[in-house]
Amino acid sequence: MTTYTFDELKKDVAEGRIDTVLACLVDMQGRLMGKRFQGQFFVESAYDETHCCNYLLATDMEMETVPGYRATSWEKGYGDYTLKPDMATLRRVPWLEGTALVICDAYDHHTHAEVPHSPRAMLKSQVARLEAMGLKAYMASELEFFLFDQSFESVRASGYRNLNPASAYNEDYHIFQTTKEEEVMRAIRNGLQGAGIPVENTKGEASAGQEEINVRYADALTMADRHAIIKNATKEIAWSKGKSVTFLAKWNYSAAGSSSHIHQSLWSLDGKTSKFFDKDADHGMSEMMKHYVAGLLAHASEITYFLAPYINSYKRYMAGTFAPTKAVWSMDNRTAGYRLCGDGTKGIRIECRVGGSDLNPHLAMAALLAAGIDGIEKKMELEPQFVGDAYGGKEVREIPKTLRDATDHLNGSAMLRGAFGDDVIDHYVRAAKWEQEEYDRRVTDWEVARGFERA
């Protein structure tokens, strides 16, 4: 992977190749929020820290200030966070002229402590737990989305009705159709590669206009950062080509849902030895891997909110659509919520298929690691693998069917409260309840008529 150092940035700024630096916070929805710095000012001063309003970690998808948060409110005056750039994330942004980008961590302006409910801090806390155990998590997220021929502006003007997907038919692995989309997809691949994100491939997915992008695995924090940048880059590049995209988990009732499968494995701290692989064990699964997967299953309902954070997320869970409905593990089985991949090799890993493309990668990966760690610490016993069609499995652990259900499990999770603290979990319970309240107020007859009924 290419790296971009601060010294290189200073040289590029001095010689006029870079004039703008994006200092970005990953918000609760996984979006990049922040400021555009004049390059000279950034390398002279802002590289150390900048500031933002603390409401950025207490808004909904429409950027509305949400009542009911203890961390920030009108009563508390919506003060500042201090943003400290993580220079390890610094990179050029090839699809924007003269631009670089860095991801920042959020600190309390008064206590100078990292904000515990910030998505990056939550993931870092679980990475630190693993490090104390002598372990390192590697992860990779597959990301799906829909590409439309209209611009974002025209889609908005139409009230998000009558969208035209980039293809008229299922384009799963379809070379001819994806050739027609290369103006956008090639620009995404090359742009990300130039930004230091090693791309493996893009492909057509299982519905009209549906795309998938895969990048090389990395340690958990690096992968989550990449994921957030990939989503932002995809939107910006599509916009620059007069197209639009959506990362809704289920944009149309009759179309396939868009997922974000997360592959995960644990390794030694030096990254040389897989702790999931035992060549003498069944399927190559080590005892540690069995405990980890058992933890994922034991806490599957509790962590679902961090994999499916919106009302729309639960519309994706439909039988026969390659989206899972059961939280079981199985060998190379795409009907299961958790799929064992790479069996019998050091590349053995578990793929969580529960998450949709609307998830926040830092929150999703943090929750998965917390569940897996609990399984390891308690030496949980892994249930036998599920064999066959999990859609038809009777009396099998189901994925929560609604946001209300998932929120109840989140609220009652002793494991998550132990891993992140009560204040953090209460913060996200409030976010989930606000999403439900807003849906109940705003749902339209048009949506109800298309299957998006109240949950």
Side-chain angles (χ1 to χ4, degrees):
M1 185 183 85
T2 59
T3 57
Y4 187 45
T5 67
F6 188 44
D7 285 341
E8 288 172 322
L9 172 63
K10 288 189 286 188
K11 187 172 187 292
D12 281 345
V13 169
E15 297 177 2
R17 287 183 292 273
I18 295 292
D19 57 54
T20 302
V21 179
L22 309 179
C24 302
L25 169 75
V26 178
D27 75 357
M28 293 167 62
Q29 291 76 23
R31 301 171 296 194
L32 300 187
M33 298 289 167
K35 300 178 181 179
R36 282 180 146 83
F37 281 97
Q38 189 64 26
Q40 192 64 41
F41 182 78
F42 184 86
V43 300
E44 291 175 354
S45 175
Y47 73 89
D48 183 47
E49 69 176 41
T50 184
H51 302 86
C52 74
C53 179
N54 62 20
Y55 98 119
L56 286 179
L57 293 177
T59 70
D60 62 13
M61 188 64 79
E62 286 77 34
M63 297 296 292
E64 294 292 334
T65 49
V66 175
Y69 285 114
R70 285 201 293 266
T72 186
S73 64
W74 289 117
E75 182 181 2
K76 293 185 176 181
Y78 284 110
D80 270 359
Y81 286 145
T82 299
L83 298 183
K84 289 187 173 291
D86 180 348
M87 300 307 283
T89 69
L90 183 66
R91 65 196 70 227
R92 296 181 182 91
V93 182
W95 58 92
L96 298 177
E97 184 178 359
T99 302
L101 178 151
V102 68
I103 292 179
C104 303
D105 291 309
Y107 290 81
D108 187 280
H109 189 61
H110 303 286
T111 67
H112 308 295
E114 195 164 4
V115 177
H117 58 270
S118 66
R120 213 162 182 263
M122 290 174 65
L123 180 52
K124 286 165 64 179
S125 71
Q126 302 312 298
V127 169
R129 290 178 69 192
L130 285 175
E131 288 177 349
M133 300 164 70
L135 299 170
K136 184 175 188 175
Y138 281 107
M139 291 185 153
S141 57
E142 306 171 25
L143 188 54
E144 297 173 357
F145 59 93
F146 278 83
L147 175 66
F148 301 102
D149 283 334
Q150 299 113 306
S151 68
F152 282 106
E153 291 77 13
S154 65
V155 167
R156 186 184 308 112
S158 73
Y160 303 96
R161 308 308 201 253
N162 303 315
L163 276 64
N164 296 322
S167 67
Y169 48 82
N170 182 329
E171 59 179 282
D172 201 16
Y173 295 94
H174 207 287
I175 295 299
F176 176 46
Q177 177 55 44
T178 52
T179 295
K180 304 174 195 176
E181 301 156 357
E182 271 289 80
E183 181 186 13
V184 174
M185 300 309 297
R186 182 171 181 261
I188 291 171
R189 292 194 306 272
N190 290 338
L192 292 173
Q193 192 76 23
I197 299 176
V199 176
E200 292 184 349
N201 64 76
T202 59
K203 62 178 283 290
E205 252 301 317
S207 209
Q210 192 176 29
E211 319 290 341
E212 179 178 313
I213 185 165
N214 296 299
V215 302
R216 184 169 173 80
Y217 69 87
D219 66 272
L221 184 60
T222 298
M223 187 64 236
D225 290 343
R226 287 178 180 174
H227 183 119
I229 293 169
I230 291 165
K231 289 183 80 168
N232 193 70
T234 299
K235 289 183 280 189
E236 289 180 337
I237 291 169
W239 168 83
S240 74
K241 305 292 185 183
K243 309 289 187 179
S244 58
V245 299
T246 183
F247 290 97
L248 275 170
K250 191 77 170 176
W251 88 271
N252 186 305
Y253 188 80
S254 62
S258 288
S259 68
S260 179
H261 302 153
I262 299 177
H263 296 252
Q264 51 209 291
S265 59
L266 298 182
W267 292 67
S268 58
L269 281 176
D270 62 9
K272 295 181 178 179
T273 304
S274 170
K275 297 297 184 177
F276 272 14
F277 178 52
D278 179 349
K279 63 181 178 60
D280 297 321
D282 289 345
H283 314 305
M285 296 178 72
S286 70
E287 287 301 306
M288 179 176 289
M289 183 178 188
K290 292 175 183 176
H291 296 325
Y292 182 95
V293 176
L296 296 182
L297 298 178
H299 300 297
S301 294
E302 299 161 55
I303 65 175
T304 295
Y305 168 75
F306 290 118
L307 298 165
Y310 307 109
I311 293 286
N312 178 267
S313 307
Y314 296 84
K315 307 305 177 184
R316 175 175 155 263
Y317 301 131
M318 297 173 62
T321 65
F322 290 98
T325 59
K326 304 295 197 307
V328 295
W329 80 278
S330 191
M331 290 276 295
D332 195 20
N333 183 344
R334 286 183 167 85
T335 71
Y338 294 84
R339 172 180 172 236
L340 182 68
C341 303
D343 57 292
T345 74
K346 66 178 182 179
I348 193 171
R349 60 199 183 277
I350 194 72
E351 175 194 34
C352 173
R353 299 178 58 83
V354 178
S357 57
D358 53 354
L359 60 72
N360 178 318
H362 295 80
L363 299 180
M365 293 180 188
L368 288 165
L369 290 177
I373 290 171
D374 195 59
I376 293 171
E377 289 179 339
K378 294 178 179 176
K379 298 187 183 302
M380 292 183 182
E381 184 175 350
L382 181 62
E383 63 195 48
Q385 69 155 317
F386 184 91
V387 178
D389 180 1
Y391 293 128
K394 304 296 183 183
E395 298 181 0
V396 177
R397 185 189 305 105
E398 292 190 335
I399 294 166
K401 291 184 172 66
T402 67
L403 179 62
R404 279 196 180 92
D405 189 13
T407 303
D408 288 343
H409 285 292
L410 170 68
N411 193 27
S413 175
M415 182 278 293
L416 288 174
R417 291 183 177 278
F420 298 107
D422 286 334
D423 287 347
V424 171
I425 297 306
D426 288 345
H427 190 88
Y428 285 93
V429 168
R430 179 61 193 133
K433 288 184 175 180
W434 177 258
E435 163 76 5
Q436 185 71 56
E437 291 165 13
E438 283 292 275
Y439 177 81
D440 289 343
R441 279 194 289 270
R442 297 184 180 187
V443 68
T444 68
D445 291 340
W446 180 87
E447 288 153 335
V448 170
R450 284 154 180 80
F452 292 88
E453 70 284 350
R454 278 192 173 86

